[in-house]
Amino acid sequence: MKCLVVLTGAGMSAESGIRTFRDSNGLWNNYRIEEVASPEAWEKHPEVVLEFYNQRRKQLFEVEPNAGHRALVRLEEKFDVQIITQNVDDLHERAGSSHVLHLHGELKKARSTVDPDLVYELDHWELKMGDTCEKGSQLRPHIVWFGEPVPLFDQAVQIAKTADIFLVIGTSLVVYPAAGLIRYVERDVPKFYVDPQAFPVHGVPKLEVIREKAGKVLPKLVEKMLNRFA
Ligand code: OAD
């Protein structure tokens, strides 16, 4: 079976009703995103950080996967599909995709602030000050914040290197190291980039840019891939 690797970003979930980062002007309640998504923010005002992620988690319990997420599931009929997502939502999983690597963490999980291996599933939207891990320390969102290392990046690189086809969807490709993954893909591998505002990507051979919305174009593109490459 050929390996089809997919890298997704916020645009993948836009048609489910989740706003992208750059669309919201990078602002939330007059805070810049960096002011609520960084270790410094957690030091300075943890309650503001918790509230930011609580609102996002609350919304996640209200939205559904879109036609784009569902189309990617169909690819599993004929490909070994590996999804690498920058998104912290669980819409790929809820659509039915089997292999999803969350580079930037997961909204529905919380983690200990003394032991990063203690990670907990959340079945409710609110994480509060005073919610603690089994060692008694405050729980934080299980999110990779600005300025923090990306622990799963090496694993993502290994996956990207095995791609026979590489598909990039709904990402501005400005946040590293995720944006650099496409450069680990073999030169002769066909690559597709679906994003209505895609910028040209220089120095990446065999790349077809499709300036369309994911939910609109993916059902057709998936059909084409099942017929052409499988
Ligand atoms: P961005 O907000 O930077 O980019 C979203 C992209 O989605 C843009 O290029 C839009 O043109 C595109 N887009 C919008 N609607 C779309 C649709 N219906 N179909 C397809 N594409 C659409 O989001 P990311 O690139 O995901 O990190 O941002 C990367 C990282 O920056 C995020 O994971 C987050 C943020 O800081 C962390 O939280 C650590």
Side-chain angles (χ1 to χ4, degrees):
M1 235 184 196
K2 284 187 175 162
C3 180
L4 197 154
V5 179
V6 190
L7 171 67
T8 65
M12 182 79 228
S13 300
E15 286 154 275
S16 292
I18 301 179
R19 287 172 80 180
T20 63
F21 295 92
R22 272 85 211 166
D23 281 359
S24 53
N25 280 336
L27 284 181
W28 172 76
N29 280 3
N30 292 327
Y31 288 101
R32 281 185 299 113
I33 299 294
E34 293 81 354
E35 288 179 295
V36 284
S38 64
E40 293 77 19
W42 182 246
E43 283 275 309
K44 189 172 153 201
H45 44 211
E47 64 295 333
V48 174
V49 175
L50 288 181
E51 177 60 11
F52 173 68
Y53 287 103
N54 282 344
Q55 290 307 322
R56 299 179 66 81
R57 197 176 302 109
K58 189 176 184 189
Q59 183 192 31
L60 185 51
F61 281 99
E62 292 158 5
V63 299
E64 299 291 337
N66 63 53
H69 295 104
R70 291 193 297 272
L72 294 182
V73 181
R74 280 202 60 210
L75 287 169
E76 295 189 14
E77 290 169 15
K78 293 195 179 167
F79 296 100
D80 167 15
V81 180
Q82 301 287 332
I83 297 181
I84 303 167
T85 187
Q86 299 167 83
N87 298 344
V88 295
D89 66 52
D90 61 350
L91 296 179
H92 285 302
E93 288 93 336
R94 275 159 58 192
S97 284
S98 309
H99 305 288
V100 185
L101 185 84
H102 284 272
L103 265 188
H104 292 161
E106 292 172 74
L107 208 42
K108 285 190 179 167
K109 290 183 180 170
R111 153 164 116 238
S112 163
T113 40
V114 291
D115 182 349
D117 291 333
L118 292 178
V119 175
Y120 303 89
E121 297 270 352
L122 294 169
D123 57 7
H124 54 285
W125 63 270
E126 201 173 16
L127 188 60
K128 298 191 287 287
M129 292 304 289
D131 289 345
T132 54
C133 73
E134 65 215 55
K135 293 186 177 171
S137 84
Q138 176 65 42
L139 288 174
R140 59 164 275 181
H142 184 50
I143 301 283
V144 175
W145 286 327
F146 287 99
E148 291 189 317
V150 181
L152 296 178
F153 186 66
D154 288 347
Q155 205 177 321
V157 167
Q158 292 316 314
I159 294 171
K161 283 181 173 173
T162 64
D164 296 303
I165 303 163
F166 195 75
L167 177 53
V168 180
I169 306 165
T171 171
S172 54
L173 290 179
V174 296
V175 175
Y176 283 82
L181 271 177
I182 195 166
R183 301 190 185 274
Y184 291 90
V185 181
E186 296 284 345
R187 292 181 63 81
D188 59 349
V189 163
K191 304 165 192 80
F192 301 85
Y193 179 18
V194 175
D195 188 315
Q197 292 178 55
F199 287 101
V201 183
H202 300 291
V204 176
K206 298 199 74 172
L207 177 67
E208 184 180 331
V209 177
I210 303 169
R211 291 194 173 83
E212 298 267 16
K213 289 186 174 181
K216 182 180 168 210
V217 81
L218 282 179
K220 288 182 265 180
L221 184 64
V222 161
E223 198 59 43
K224 208 165 100 180
M225 286 179 159
L226 288 169
N227 291 327
R228 183 168 143 204
F229 293 109

